[in-house]
Amino acid sequence: MKIERTGVAGSLESSDTLVTVDPHRGGVEIVLRSIAEARFGVQIRALIETTLRELAVGEARVQVEDRSALDCTIKARLVTAIHRAAKAEHPVWELLK
Amino acid sequence: MKNLRRTMLYVPGNRAAMVKDAHIYRPDTLMFDLEDSVPYTEKDSARMLVYHALRAIDYENVETAVRINGLDTPYGLDDVEAIVRARPDIIRIPKTDTADSVREVESAIESVEREIGLEVGTIKLFAAIETPLGVMNAPEISRASSRLVGIALGAEDLVTNLGTTRSEEGIELLYARSRILFAARAAGIHAIDTVYSDVCDDDGFLQETRLIKQLGFDGKSVVQPHQIELAHEVFTPTPTEVRNAERTLTALRAAEERGSGVTALDGKMIDKPMLARAQRILELAAASGIDVNRELL
């Protein structure tokens, strides 16, 4: 999927995550801020990278402000932000593992 | 009608914390909402959040339902596409006016079930009746699909359409409640009452819950977790009711072994209708954590 504009999803409420996806050249840049970063930072980054691969996003800047969200919440917010950024109205559900 | 549905807790589909934790309050059914509680700008994110949550979170045997947007909105078909893949127990249809609207949702669900190799009929249906037309069509709606396990009254839209308001005693809902209940019972499915919106008025909530239990409803939609315990208390049989139910079942089983469907208990005749009532009391008691003779269930 091609990132064409800024896409935002989620919130800064507890157990949620605010994800911002921006157009970016030359690969993927991930900026992660999480109150659980010391413990789960590696896991969250891996989740973000896997999700970007699933949706074939090769170029993007991804900012994730995590408020102790579950993995499934982070993934849902990231997928939504990507779809908004790619102006994709309907998800390709088969791509979402 | 084995599942108990004393409470159906609304969970706004875009609230991550509630989607994650709502089952800890132990409602009989969790109902993730993609419809009225979600603003138009967040329909996509709520749908995606509920989709991923249902696939990842263990809701510990609490029944899961998702209220989708109507198929007459730009969101309904996308909701079906996503939610069938997430495999909740139930999809709840909002503002059901006709049997055809149930069949349209059923057809959309079946299409996705076939596409993903899910056995056709896996996802069950609930229909919410929220308009005078829906109330009038309740008997046809209740029989519209073999997937339909229940119908629910949604009162807020209904009273507006009737040109009235909700009162403490609920007289304005008497016809709708009665008609919906009769339609559900004639079709052999559950009937669930509307929400009680004043979440600070526990006495009013209890009064209304006692009323709908007496009418025969199986349960109530709730909007606040603390209403779950209150409703379950109303539906919990008393120790005397449980003891009488056990004695009734024991007596009828003994009569059955003698080749008879009727017997006497404490000088009163008891027969088949009492059997069903006694079983329902024991099911409710067991679900409420009361120690019952499980051999009789």
Side-chain angles (χ1 to χ4, degrees), chain B residues 177-291:
Chain B
R177 280 178 167 141
S178 301
R179 188 169 174 86
I180 283 170
L181 183 74
F182 273 71
R185 289 292 176 262
I189 61 176
H190 275 172
I192 304 295
D193 190 49
T194 187
V195 298
Y196 188 78
S197 307
D198 186 351
V199 295
C200 298
D201 182 4
D202 289 351
D203 289 339
F205 175 81
L206 284 167
Q207 182 183 319
E208 185 167 279
T209 306
R210 289 188 194 106
L211 170 73
I212 61 102
K213 176 179 178 267
Q214 186 59 31
L215 283 172
F217 277 82
D218 297 284
K220 195 159 176 59
S221 299
V222 296
V223 288
Q224 278 288 327
H226 85 274
Q227 293 176 331
I228 293 167
E229 195 178 340
L230 296 173
H232 287 185
E233 273 175 25
V234 171
F235 277 92
T236 300
T238 64
T240 305
E241 287 173 323
V242 173
R243 196 167 57 250
N244 286 341
E246 287 179 337
R247 293 178 67 225
T248 299
L249 286 171
T250 304
L252 283 169
R253 296 266 164 90
E256 199 177 296
E257 281 172 17
R258 295 194 303 271
S260 172
V262 62
T263 187
L265 185 67
D266 300 333
K268 292 177 190 163
M269 189 190 84
I270 53 171
D271 56 4
K272 200 177 170 190
M274 284 96 164
L275 179 83
R277 276 212 299 273
Q279 279 173 332
R280 163 113 180 119
I281 286 170
L282 286 199
E283 284 171 11
L284 282 167
S288 309
I290 294 172
D291 194 19

Side-chain angles (χ1 to χ4, degrees), chain B residues 23-37:
Chain B
H23 61 296
I24 66 175
Y25 302 106
R26 307 306 297 173
D28 287 334
T29 306
L30 275 175
M31 189 176 59
F32 301 104
D33 184 30
L34 303 181
E35 202 218 9
D36 283 353
S37 69

Side-chain angles (χ1 to χ4, degrees), chain B residues 42-297:
Chain B
E42 295 301 324
K43 294 289 187 188
D44 56 341
S45 65
R47 183 186 305 126
M48 195 62 73
L49 182 65
V50 172
Y51 166 82
H52 282 287
L54 281 170
R55 288 166 61 101
I57 296 173
D58 176 6
Y59 286 106
E60 299 175 0
N61 295 322
V62 175
E63 184 175 62
T64 53
V66 180
R67 180 167 75 164
I68 61 169
N69 291 279
L71 292 194
D72 58 344
T73 71
Y75 318 107
L77 273 178
D78 280 339
D79 289 347
V80 172
E81 280 281 342
I83 298 308
V84 173
R85 287 176 162 81
R87 301 186 192 183
D89 298 304
I90 290 169
I91 284 179
R92 175 160 154 159
I93 312 167
K95 300 179 181 67
T96 314
D97 283 345
T98 64
D100 278 345
S101 55
V102 175
R103 288 190 277 266
E104 283 167 17
V105 175
E106 178 177 46
S107 171
I109 291 172
E110 184 173 328
S111 167
V112 182
E113 284 176 336
R114 289 187 190 283
E115 197 181 325
I116 63 174
L118 191 62
E119 187 181 344
V120 170
T122 300
I123 309 286
K124 303 303 178 196
L125 281 173
F126 232 89
I129 293 177
E130 307 177 51
T131 64
L133 181 59
V135 173
M136 297 314 293
N137 287 332
E140 293 76 24
I141 290 169
S142 298
R143 292 191 298 268
S145 164
S146 58
R147 294 176 190 255
L148 205 68
V149 294
I151 53 177
L153 168 65
E156 298 301 337
D157 284 322
L158 181 65
V159 293
T160 303
N161 285 326
L162 288 176
T164 181
T165 54
R166 291 188 68 177
S167 66
E168 206 168 297
E169 66 277 14
I171 188 70
E172 69 286 349
L173 291 177
L174 188 57
Y175 178 72
R177 280 178 167 141
S178 301
R179 188 169 174 86
I180 283 170
L181 183 74
F182 273 71
R185 289 292 176 262
I189 61 176
H190 275 172
I192 304 295
D193 190 49
T194 187
V195 298
Y196 188 78
S197 307
D198 186 351
V199 295
C200 298
D201 182 4
D202 289 351
D203 289 339
F205 175 81
L206 284 167
Q207 182 183 319
E208 185 167 279
T209 306
R210 289 188 194 106
L211 170 73
I212 61 102
K213 176 179 178 267
Q214 186 59 31
L215 283 172
F217 277 82
D218 297 284
K220 195 159 176 59
S221 299
V222 296
V223 288
Q224 278 288 327
H226 85 274
Q227 293 176 331
I228 293 167
E229 195 178 340
L230 296 173
H232 287 185
E233 273 175 25
V234 171
F235 277 92
T236 300
T238 64
T240 305
E241 287 173 323
V242 173
R243 196 167 57 250
N244 286 341
E246 287 179 337
R247 293 178 67 225
T248 299
L249 286 171
T250 304
L252 283 169
R253 296 266 164 90
E256 199 177 296
E257 281 172 17
R258 295 194 303 271
S260 172
V262 62
T263 187
L265 185 67
D266 300 333
K268 292 177 190 163
M269 189 190 84
I270 53 171
D271 56 4
K272 200 177 170 190
M274 284 96 164
L275 179 83
R277 276 212 299 273
Q279 279 173 332
R280 163 113 180 119
I281 286 170
L282 286 199
E283 284 171 11
L284 282 167
S288 309
I290 294 172
D291 194 19
V292 298
N293 182 350
R294 291 188 175 269
E295 286 177 6
L296 294 171
L297 282 173

Side-chain angles (χ1 to χ4, degrees), chain A residues 15 77 80 84 90 93-94, chain B residues 14 20 41 44 78 82 85:
Chain A
S15 299
R77 298 317 196 188
T80 303
R84 288 175 174 179
H90 305 287
W93 294 102
E94 290 75 16
Chain B
N14 203 35
K20 175 174 79 102
T41 53
D44 56 341
D78 280 339
R85 287 176 162 81

